[in-house]
Amino acid sequence: MAKFTPDAGLRASFRAEHGLGDRPVIGVACALRPRKQLEHLFEAAARVSNPDLRVVVAGGAVKGDEAYAEQLLARGRALLGPRLVTVGHMKELRPFYNALDLFVNTSQEEACSISVMESMACGTPVVGYPSTSVDEQVLPTGGEIVEQDAIDQLAASLERWTSDPARLISARQAARARAEDMFDIAKLAEQLWAEYQTLASMVRAR
């Protein structure tokens, strides 16, 4: 939580480097593999009416899925054209997370997603599928969750969010607060210590 934080400088530098300007930007960082279902992201984004929308994908193919990844990106380019921006593998993801207005999760399943956690810590709300556990990470204040694999609902959600700049700005603080509540080890340690003290006082009172 001390490293992954909202940073206006990182946001500006990443956007300048990739020609994103002040446009609405959504994206995801993940391996390009079938269970991530990035086809759903591309299809939903293609239905968003704002022609300035940009979809940024960080990540690459997993060994054995190279052909799939190539076909996936070809599909994305066919649907989105220049609105799709691919940046490949990144060793440092903080500029990427900060540059986004929305992190979009379309996975079939996640076991406490690190990328979801990191994006909210950087003040980027998460929109997407529950994916078994992501809804527990995001809700109630870290973004929006739609029905699993419901591309129509996802597209409608992206349309609402990206057409409301004020909402995107205000949601950044809420996303960071959600991350702090869920994942800040210092805060969690204090809560646990308080619980131990309560239990100890109950034992002493017997």
Side-chain angles (χ1 to χ4, degrees):
M1 295 301 298
K3 180 178 180 180
F4 286 84
T5 61
D7 189 314
L10 291 179
R11 178 180 174 87
S13 62
F14 185 94
R15 282 176 167 250
E17 178 182 355
H18 297 283
L20 300 173
D22 294 327
R23 299 178 178 91
V25 179
I26 66 175
V28 64
C30 67
L32 304 184
R33 60 196 321 173
R35 67 184 178 88
K36 297 296 185 179
Q37 300 189 143
L38 293 195
E39 299 91 342
H40 293 209
L41 167 59
F42 298 155
E43 291 178 29
R47 301 181 196 182
V48 174
S49 61
N50 189 338
D52 285 334
L53 178 71
R54 294 295 182 267
V55 180
V56 183
V57 175
V62 175
K63 186 175 181 179
D65 285 331
E66 293 87 353
Y68 165 80
E70 184 177 349
Q71 293 171 2
L72 170 70
L73 294 180
R75 174 63 173 163
R77 294 185 186 102
L79 285 169
L80 296 166
R83 295 201 291 172
L84 176 62
V85 179
T86 57
V87 296
H89 289 293
M90 299 185 68
K91 292 183 178 180
E92 174 57 82
L93 281 166
R94 289 178 298 165
F96 167 82
Y97 290 129
N98 272 280
L100 299 182
D101 292 306
L102 294 173
F103 183 95
V104 185
N105 167 65
T106 54
S107 291
Q108 291 178 329
E109 58 183 3
E110 293 285 341
C112 191
S113 170
I114 293 175
S115 57
V116 164
M117 185 189 318
E118 291 175 342
S119 64
M120 290 194 300
C122 289
T124 299
V126 177
V127 170
Y129 300 153
S131 305
T132 306
S133 67
V134 170
D135 56 337
E136 297 178 10
Q137 294 178 260
V138 173
L139 298 177
T141 58
E144 182 179 356
I145 299 296
V146 302
E147 184 179 341
Q148 184 71 36
D149 299 336
I151 297 176
D152 288 345
Q153 292 182 24
L154 180 61
S157 176
L158 295 178
E159 181 73 38
R160 288 192 300 271
W161 280 85
T162 57
S163 63
D164 190 346
R167 183 184 186 187
L168 290 173
I169 293 172
S170 65
R172 300 188 73 82
Q173 185 175 357
R176 172 67 188 188
R178 177 61 179 168
E180 290 175 348
D181 288 342
M182 289 289 291
F183 310 116
D184 187 336
I185 190 62
K187 181 178 290 188
L188 294 175
E190 289 178 0
Q191 292 173 353
L192 183 60
W193 179 240
E195 291 176 8
Y196 282 147
Q197 290 179 310
T198 299
L199 290 172
S201 65
M202 291 171 62
V203 171
R204 289 193 296 269
R206 289 183 178 179

